[in-house]
């Protein structure tokens, strides 16, 4: 196929793969809900949840979950996460780094931005959605470091096998 | 827009180690991407690179930013306008992410300077990404950009491509406009620099090489001939005659590099080309004419550019030699020759200030060698040549100052002004690192580079007759299609790593 035809084909495919483009307007992920004066606070647990629907209650991912992807105007997949912090003093502004790795260990990208947190249940605070537009592979490891805690969770879309685990990942200090 | 965001996130993850970027346009890139997405949503096409991110080598002018060549004296001299090639990049719809690092004065096989720091090779952070387009190659190999623009005056696109396992093309001089590409020795035209495309794969390279409009460049730069863009898809490789050499007789490449050349020849044979042996004329002469020509002013132009800045370690040895009084250099050359150091002796004789008549003689010799090369191609009815891109894999950081005589393979085709591309083929094997039996100090340095090089990428150089970039690209695509599945193919992007993790 000639290069020019390949380009047209690519553009056409990208256009049809754009379910988040109502009336042709591509979805643009909002900027992180950032803050300054971050603190670690006193944390005992960190959970990572799906953030694509910002109005939904916090729903933690489990190993092997499939996040809700949105395809942008250029055909790249993205999704959002929310973090829930639990402890005696969860901070109102938490320093965090979120990164995505494929199975071979290739880091697809990371975001290091302090995020505001909002009161959830007693002793728990939750962030607003943090959009990850990293060119996400089908199977990947999501790594989050928030305050003094870090967590890894394996997600996939599509997944090779049905989800085997129903428990959340361990939180490591 | 999300692709720009993804690449920015990737840079945040890796560029702290690689340090490929010297200037980022994060906000402008996001804004351009937003406008690009809106245009696409309206059904408007901005060009063949609509929305595709790209990076630009530091010495290529972008309005409002300085092209320093790694010199502090140029930090406060922002370019007044975009270079012609950058204009073409924007008109094709691409989004410029930033500028990438270079060596001081663009004259080293590394990317280190006192303005922007040191760029590291993502395959081994203790090694050089090559130079002078080293920042571009490192950014491509580490997945921070899909396309790049480099410049090449002695291998500056092709050496980084070879060292980092990516693809690059040095076109025939003036195939793309060089207006707005800053060089270390303006007015020196014995050997000229040429802007060219870089990418992770030959397929991507062809996309960029065919996307920029040469006719638009021709309207802005009288040096650019009004040719249409190359069309590699129209080239039929069946029946083309391909000359192959693995050793030019001056400095032998490592066994992995010779193996890469042979593998590429197999691939082209599989594509229907006819493979024949080729022995290139004038290997030594070309190397020393290049070095003699570029030092003909005794280094005075470069010293004036540098003002009071210290010469970096990569070019200090050559600058010192060039500044020696002629009689001292001749004595030193005689001494080195008596010690069996013939390569260095000839270098000492070649470097240094020359009268105009000597420069004209060098120019005449260069032209004669260009004609001799073309005659040799005609005698054998060659359409393409495959050869090593370099004698070595990526060298340790800070060592390239003693390795200027390893440039015989990349120098050759800039001196001859034939278009030449480099693409990755394989990686150095464990049993291919310690083979050289040094006969002089150049080979001793080569052996030091090769020690510990297992796992590093190596490539092949693909050369065509002047103005036949379409054939170079077609051959590169055909080779890539056949080697990309090889177990040792150096696939990128990679995670930056130390030598211990490479295998």
């Amino acid at each position: 196929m000639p290069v020019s035809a390949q380009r047209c084909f690519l553009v056409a495919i990208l256009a049809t793969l754009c379910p988040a483009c109502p009336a042709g307007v591509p979805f643009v992920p909002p900027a992180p809900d950032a803050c300054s004066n971050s603190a670690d606070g006193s944390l005992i647990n960190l959970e990572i949840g799906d953030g694509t629907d910002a109005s939904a209650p916090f729903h933690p991912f489990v190993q092997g979950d499939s996040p809700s992807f949105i395809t942008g105007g250029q055909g790249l997949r993205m999704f959002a996460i929310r973090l829930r912090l639990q402890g005696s003093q969860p901070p109102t502004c938490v320093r965090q780094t979120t990164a995505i790795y494929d199975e071979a260990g290739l880091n697809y990208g990371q975001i290091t931005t302090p995020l505001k947190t909002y009161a959830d249940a007693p002793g728990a605070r939750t962030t607003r959605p943090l959009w990850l537009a990293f060119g996400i592979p089908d199977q990947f490891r999501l790594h989050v470091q928030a305050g003094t805690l870090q967590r890894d969770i394996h997600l996939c879309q599509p997944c090779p096998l049905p989800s085997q685990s129903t428990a959340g990942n361990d939180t490591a200090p | 827009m999300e692709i720009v965001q993804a690449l920015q996130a990737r840079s945040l993850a890796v560029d702290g180690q690689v340090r490929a970027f010297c200037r980022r346009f994060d906000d402008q890139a996001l804004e351009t991407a937003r406008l690009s997405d809106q245009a696409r949503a309206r059904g408007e096409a901005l060009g063949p690179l609509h929305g595709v991110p790209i990076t630009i080598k530091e010495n290529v002018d972008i309005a409002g930013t300085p092209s320093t060549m790694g010199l502090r004296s140029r930090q406060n001299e922002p370019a007044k306008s975009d270079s012609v090639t950058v204009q073409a990049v924007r008109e094709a719809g691409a989004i410029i992410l930033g500028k990438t690092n270079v060596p001081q004065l663009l004259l080293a096989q590394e990317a280190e300077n006192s303005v922007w720091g040191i760029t590291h090779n993502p395959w081994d952070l203790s090694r050089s990404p090559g130079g002078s387009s080293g920042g571009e190659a490192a950014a491509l190999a580490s997945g921070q950009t899909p396309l790049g623009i480099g410049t090449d005056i002695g291998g500056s696109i092709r050496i980084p491509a070879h060292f980092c396992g990516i693809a690059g093309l040095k076109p025939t001089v003036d195939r793309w406009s060089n207006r707005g590409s800053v060089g270390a020795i303006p007015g020196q035209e014995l050997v000229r620099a040429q802007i060219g495309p870089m990418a992770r794969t030959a397929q991507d390279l062809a996309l960029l090489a065919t996307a920029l409009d040469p006719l638009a460049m021709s309207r802005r730069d009288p040096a650019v001939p009004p040719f249409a863009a190359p069309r590699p898809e129209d080239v039929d490789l069946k029946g083309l005659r391909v000359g192959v050499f693995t050793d030019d007789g001056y400095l032998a490449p490592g066994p992995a590099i010779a193996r890469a050349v042979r593998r590429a020849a197999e691939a082209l044979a599989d594509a229907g080309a006819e493979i024949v042996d080729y022995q290139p004329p004038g290997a030594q002469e070309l190397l020393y004419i290049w070095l003699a020509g570029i030092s003909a002013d005794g280094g005075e132009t470069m010293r004036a550019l540098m003002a009071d800045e210290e010469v970096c370690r990569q070019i200090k040895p050559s600058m010192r030699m060039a500044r020696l009084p002629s009689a001292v250099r001749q004595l030193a050359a005689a001494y080195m020759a008596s010690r069996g150091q013939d390569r260095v002796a000839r270098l000492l004789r070649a470097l240094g200030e020359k009268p105009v008549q000597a420069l004209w003689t060098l120019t005449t010799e260069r032209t004669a060698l260009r004609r001799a090369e073309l005659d040799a191609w005609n005698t054998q009815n060659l359409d393409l040549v495959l050869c090593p891109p370099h004698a070595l894999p990526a060298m340790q950081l800070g060592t390239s100052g003693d390795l200027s005589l390893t440039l015989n393979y990349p120098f050759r085709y800039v001196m001859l002004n034939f278009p030449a591309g480099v693409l990755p083929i394989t990686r150095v094997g464990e049993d291919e690192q310690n083979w050289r039996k040094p006969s002089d100090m150049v080979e001793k340095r080569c052996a030091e580079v090769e020690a510990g090089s297992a796992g590093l990428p190596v490539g092949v150089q693909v050369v065509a007759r002047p103005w036949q970039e379409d054939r170079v690209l077609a051959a590169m695509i055909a080779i890539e299609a056949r080697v990309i599945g090889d177990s040792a193919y150096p696939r990128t992007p990679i995670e930056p790593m130390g030598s211990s993790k490479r295998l």
Side-chain angles (χ1 to χ4, degrees):
Chain A
M1 189 185 298
V3 172
S4 56
Q6 284 175 356
R7 263 183 239 126
C8 295
F9 180 69
L10 184 64
V11 169
I13 289 291
L14 294 183
T16 57
L17 286 175
C18 192
C21 304
V25 178
F27 172 75
V28 176
D33 185 25
C35 53
S36 53
N37 303 320
S38 62
D40 290 345
S42 176
L43 298 175
I44 56 170
N45 192 32
L46 163 65
E47 290 177 292
I48 309 168
D50 195 336
T52 306
D53 181 356
S55 61
F58 183 83
H59 175 73
F61 284 127
V62 296
Q63 298 290 355
D65 255 356
S66 294
S68 308
F69 283 127
I70 283 182
T71 303
Q74 293 182 295
L76 207 66
R77 302 195 302 186
M78 58 184 116
F79 73 109
I81 61 168
R82 291 161 71 194
L83 307 179
R84 182 156 69 183
L85 311 168
Q86 292 172 293
S88 56
Q89 279 189 314
T92 56
C93 174
V94 64
R95 68 180 174 89
Q96 67 80 39
T97 295
T98 298
I100 284 177
Y101 298 85
D102 70 7
E103 290 187 326
L106 187 72
N107 183 336
Y108 273 58
Q110 69 185 47
I111 291 181
T112 301
T113 306
L115 296 177
K116 290 179 190 167
T117 66
Y118 299 86
D120 189 342
R125 296 182 73 85
T126 308
T127 66
R128 297 252 162 91
L130 174 67
W131 280 89
L132 308 176
F134 290 176
I136 307 194
D138 288 351
Q139 296 175 54
F140 60 95
R141 174 169 62 90
L142 180 63
H143 172 83
V144 175
Q145 171 142 18
T148 55
L149 302 179
Q150 56 184 322
R151 170 168 285 222
D152 287 281
I153 194 155
H154 293 268
L155 303 174
C156 48
Q157 179 65 278
C159 296
L161 292 169
S163 177
Q164 306 239 329
S165 167
T166 55
N169 201 359
D170 295 335
T171 301
Chain B
M1 181 155 177
E2 69 272 15
I3 290 179
V4 171
Q5 288 179 315
L7 292 168
Q8 290 175 349
R10 172 66 181 166
S11 284
L12 192 61
V14 298
D15 208 41
Q17 295 171 281
V18 177
R19 301 175 65 88
F21 277 82
C22 54
R23 187 178 291 274
R24 303 190 61 92
F25 306 128
D26 285 346
D27 292 342
Q28 296 108 303
L30 285 170
E31 177 60 12
T32 310
R34 191 179 64 78
L35 296 172
S36 171
D37 281 359
Q38 287 177 352
R40 177 174 286 135
R42 291 193 300 269
E44 297 169 10
L46 297 184
L49 298 178
H50 186 138
V52 179
I54 193 169
T55 42
I56 308 288
K57 186 178 176 181
E58 203 265 1
N59 66 310
V60 178
D61 280 350
I62 294 179
T65 65
S67 300
T68 68
M69 297 186 289
L71 298 176
R72 290 194 208 114
S73 62
R74 294 180 56 88
Q75 274 181 289
N76 298 316
E77 295 180 19
K80 292 184 175 63
S81 59
D82 285 346
S83 62
V84 171
T85 298
V86 166
Q87 289 177 51
V89 163
R90 292 193 201 276
E91 285 164 3
I95 298 168
I96 299 175
L97 298 176
K99 292 182 95 172
T100 54
N101 204 16
V102 296
Q104 190 182 54
L105 290 165
L106 316 176
L107 289 176
Q109 303 182 66
E110 304 190 37
E112 173 182 340
N113 61 74
S114 62
V115 178
W116 308 114
I118 303 172
T119 301
H120 301 257
N121 188 322
W123 288 91
D124 180 343
L125 294 167
S126 71
R127 294 197 180 231
S128 159
S132 60
S133 311
E136 274 304 325
L140 285 157
S142 58
Q144 300 185 64
T145 180
L147 299 174
I149 298 289
T151 65
D152 190 322
I153 193 173
S156 291
I157 287 174
R158 293 162 292 147
I159 296 167
H162 169 66
F163 283 8
C164 290
I166 57 113
L169 171 69
K170 179 208 75 69
T172 314
V173 168
D174 291 327
R175 190 75 161 93
W176 277 7
S177 173
N178 297 301
R179 189 172 177 180
S181 165
V182 178
I185 317 175
Q188 183 289 121
E189 298 207 347
L190 176 77
V191 52
R192 286 185 54 206
Q194 177 56 43
I195 285 188
M198 301 173 77
R200 270 203 289 283
T201 64
Q203 281 280 4
D204 290 352
L205 191 74
L207 173 67
L208 177 55
T210 57
L212 303 194
D213 182 2
L215 298 175
M217 292 194 208
S218 175
R219 283 194 290 276
R220 293 170 179 144
D221 182 348
V224 178
F227 294 171
R231 292 179 57 83
E233 64 270 29
D234 290 347
V235 174
D236 185 359
L237 293 168
K238 286 190 179 63
L240 293 190
R241 275 173 67 86
V242 181
V244 177
F245 68 93
T246 56
D247 184 346
D248 67 0
Y250 177 71
L251 182 63
I257 298 168
R259 177 167 57 81
V261 176
R262 290 193 298 271
R263 178 70 185 98
E266 281 174 16
L268 281 189
D270 184 59
E274 183 185 353
I275 307 298
V276 297
D277 288 335
Y278 176 63
Q279 198 54 44
Q284 292 199 35
E285 289 78 1
L286 281 165
L287 176 65
Y288 290 109
I289 290 172
W290 195 103
L291 293 162
I294 213 154
S295 63
D297 69 343
E300 193 53 46
T301 308
M302 290 191 271
R303 275 196 296 280
L305 268 173
M306 297 192 57
D308 297 327
E309 190 170 336
E310 190 181 348
V311 180
C312 70
R313 54 186 170 168
Q314 287 85 3
I315 54 176
K316 193 175 275 182
S318 300
M319 290 276 267
R320 272 196 192 136
M321 282 192 213
R323 288 189 73 175
L324 288 173
S326 175
V328 176
R329 271 190 297 105
Q330 298 306 324
L331 274 174
Y335 173 74
M336 295 307 284
S338 73
R339 302 292 300 261
Q341 305 290 337
D342 289 336
R343 290 188 176 99
V344 176
R346 195 161 176 188
L347 174 66
L348 280 160
R349 290 193 199 103
L351 292 176
E353 190 173 356
K354 298 164 187 68
V356 172
Q357 187 188 12
L359 188 59
W360 288 353
T361 302
L362 287 171
T363 309
T364 305
E365 290 173 2
R366 178 213 62 184
T367 304
L369 283 164
R370 284 183 181 174
R371 291 169 180 161
E373 178 82 6
L374 197 65
D375 289 346
W377 283 50
N378 287 337
T379 300
Q380 286 194 250
N381 197 24
L382 298 182
D383 300 295
L384 292 162
V385 159
L386 296 180
C387 64
H390 199 285
L392 301 171
M395 48 196 62
Q396 293 87 350
L397 288 167
T399 62
S400 68
D402 292 334
L403 290 160
S404 57
L405 292 177
T406 63
L407 288 161
N408 46 319
Y409 295 100
F411 273 5
R412 177 172 191 83
Y413 293 104
V414 76
M415 280 295 288
L416 296 172
N417 194 23
F418 283 38
V422 167
L423 77 157
I425 300 293
T426 186
R427 288 182 280 161
V428 179
E430 287 276 15
D431 56 348
E432 294 174 317
Q433 316 174 74
N434 302 303
W435 66 282
R436 204 178 286 270
K437 306 283 180 264
S439 61
D440 64 7
M441 56 203 296
V442 175
E443 297 231 24
K444 185 165 176 284
R445 292 277 181 269
C446 290
E448 289 167 2
V449 170
E450 288 164 334
S453 65
L456 288 175
V458 293
V460 67
Q461 183 164 213
V462 182
V463 188
R465 292 167 184 255
W467 309 106
Q468 294 189 340
E469 283 79 7
D470 52 351
R471 284 187 172 174
V472 176
L473 292 166
M476 290 174 77
I477 290 167
I479 293 166
E480 180 176 273
R482 288 161 177 82
V483 305
I484 204 164
D486 292 356
S487 59
Y489 178 78
R491 193 175 295 274
T492 56
I494 54 160
E495 205 58 26
M497 60 182 125
S499 54
S500 59
K501 290 186 182 174
R502 219 166 41 229
L503 291 173

